[in-house]
Amino acid sequence: MALNLQQIPRVSTIGKDDFVKNHLQPQRPVVIEKLTEDWPAFQKWHLAYIKQVAGDKTVPLYDDRPVKHDEGFNEAHAEMKMSEYVDLLEEKPTNFRIFLYNILKEVPSLQADYKFPKLGLQLIKGLPMMFFGGTDSKVFMHFDIDYTNILHFQFHGKKRCIIFPPDQSPYLYRVPYSLIAREDIDFTDPDFEKWPALQKAQGYVCELDHGEMLYMPEGYWHYMHYLTPGFSISLRSYPRKIKNLGKALYNLLFMRHYDNFMRKRKGQEWIDYKNDQAMVRTHKYLNKDR
């Protein structure tokens, strides 16, 4: 038995009016296949090029270890020169990923390689973040703290993306006071006996190849599975819906700080409590929903 996932619609190209009408306003995901073909990045952005222009940069690395109470928000697990990291990616599978790294600030020449698409979104020019991963590495199911609309562009390799709309949150074992689902859920092969609510969740899936872009609407959950070594860049715009802007402000101004306070006060007991509550709350909702 597998997750209830629909293939995300795909288009070769799309105009601004069609994108706004059919995807941005109704908040529907889409894969645009050829949006980057006139970017210099389409030809240049492969791991060998990144190694050439950014090889001397020290980059933060993350793996799939569970969240610990004594680790800061988005605190890296290791560091490595980019040249060494690219060699590692090409040599063998690794769990080490680069996450939310502003390499474009570190290597300004890369900024000339991409464009801000004119799709009716007011994209945030100062927040183009890059992500790297090795074969079979996975990014746990989460949503973004600021509820932004996300244009996610894949380069070099292939990635499988599983996404869920915000209204599916009650079935995803969301950990309270956080942005994640239970980290011990394998969304590529979930154990429905342990996580029965996942059978009710309705989401979407796609595989992104080099140059393709996935539009993820505001507050969408996403789980990324690198099928080969590769990297991506995300361009973002602020939420358009007032309620989502309110949720973003709540997350940034209260939830994150409260969670950090409780970690310091309660330690691992707080993490364990939240994980237990993820199951209790989800199964309570599931039983009510039946």
Side-chain angles (χ1 to χ4, degrees):
M1 192 171 180
L3 290 169
N4 184 3
L5 302 174
Q6 300 179 45
Q7 287 290 327
I8 297 173
R10 305 178 73 93
V11 296
S12 176
T13 60
I14 194 169
K16 172 183 172 181
D17 291 344
D18 284 346
F19 178 80
V20 170
K21 177 182 177 181
N22 296 315
H23 300 286
L24 181 58
Q25 289 181 344
Q27 294 283 280
R28 293 178 187 145
V30 66
V31 173
I32 306 178
E33 298 173 339
K34 297 184 177 181
L35 191 59
T36 68
E37 287 194 353
D38 63 342
W39 293 13
F42 186 77
Q43 300 295 332
K44 297 163 67 175
W45 280 17
H46 294 275
L47 286 173
Y49 180 69
I50 297 297
K51 181 178 179 180
Q52 174 188 332
V53 299
D56 63 334
K57 300 296 180 183
T58 299
V59 294
L61 301 176
Y62 301 81
D63 58 25
D64 55 1
R65 72 187 70 177
V67 169
K68 289 185 175 181
H69 74 278
D70 55 355
E71 291 179 345
F73 185 76
N74 284 341
E75 181 178 336
H77 300 136
E79 291 183 340
M80 190 180 293
K81 291 289 187 183
M82 178 65 88
S83 59
E84 297 172 337
Y85 179 62
V86 170
D87 289 343
L88 177 63
L89 291 181
E90 295 184 321
E91 178 185 349
K92 60 184 179 182
T94 176
N95 288 331
F96 276 131
R97 297 175 288 104
I98 297 177
F99 175 71
L100 280 178
Y101 180 57
N102 197 342
I103 191 176
L104 302 166
K105 181 179 178 181
E106 300 290 329
V107 187
S109 62
L110 289 171
Q111 296 180 27
D113 292 343
Y114 70 96
K115 303 175 183 179
F116 288 93
K118 296 180 179 179
L119 293 173
L121 289 165
Q122 292 185 339
L123 295 167
I124 306 169
K125 299 296 177 70
L127 284 177
M129 296 298 181
M130 296 190 81
F131 308 80
F132 292 71
T135 299
D136 205 36
S137 61
K138 299 166 185 174
V139 183
F140 49 79
M141 184 67 74
H142 67 287
F143 62 94
D144 286 10
I145 193 169
D146 52 6
Y147 269 72
T148 47
N149 292 277
I150 302 171
L151 305 181
H152 189 74
F153 300 84
Q154 177 66 16
F155 292 97
H156 186 91
K158 179 177 285 191
K159 177 189 292 179
R160 187 169 188 253
C161 309
I162 298 174
I163 65 175
F164 289 95
D167 63 8
Q168 298 301 296
S169 296
Y171 303 117
L172 298 179
Y173 296 89
R174 176 184 175 177
V175 177
Y177 301 106
S178 74
L179 312 170
I180 63 175
R182 283 277 302 235
E183 294 169 279
D184 45 350
I185 299 175
D186 181 0
F187 278 87
T188 62
D189 185 24
D191 180 348
F192 290 122
E193 290 189 8
K194 187 173 183 180
W195 317 109
L198 293 179
Q199 297 175 79
K200 300 278 286 184
Q202 299 183 35
Y204 301 90
V205 64
C206 71
E207 289 187 4
L208 293 181
D209 283 312
H210 177 82
E212 294 183 338
M213 185 276 281
L214 167 63
Y215 165 61
M216 290 185 284
E218 300 168 16
Y220 261 57
W221 292 84
H222 40 288
Y223 180 95
M224 304 300 189
H225 181 194
Y226 289 83
L227 304 178
T228 70
F231 61 97
S232 55
I233 180 175
S234 283
L235 305 179
R236 314 155 74 82
S237 76
Y238 292 116
R240 293 160 54 95
K241 294 186 175 182
I242 296 298
K243 70 174 184 178
N244 288 341
L245 183 59
K247 291 177 181 179
L249 292 173
Y250 169 82
N251 292 339
L252 290 163
L253 300 178
F254 174 75
M255 186 188 75
R256 180 172 60 178
H257 299 292
Y258 179 73
D259 185 50
N260 287 336
F261 169 76
M262 292 300 291
R263 287 192 196 198
K264 292 176 181 178
R265 184 179 179 192
K266 295 283 190 177
Q268 190 61 37
E269 179 185 346
W270 174 244
I271 303 296
D272 295 340
Y273 166 78
K274 293 198 302 174
N275 282 326
D276 288 343
Q277 284 298 303
M279 293 194 73
V280 169
R281 296 181 185 190
T282 301
H283 290 162
K284 182 179 180 180
Y285 184 88
L286 180 64
N287 292 331
K288 181 181 177 181
D289 192 42
R290 282 172 174 165

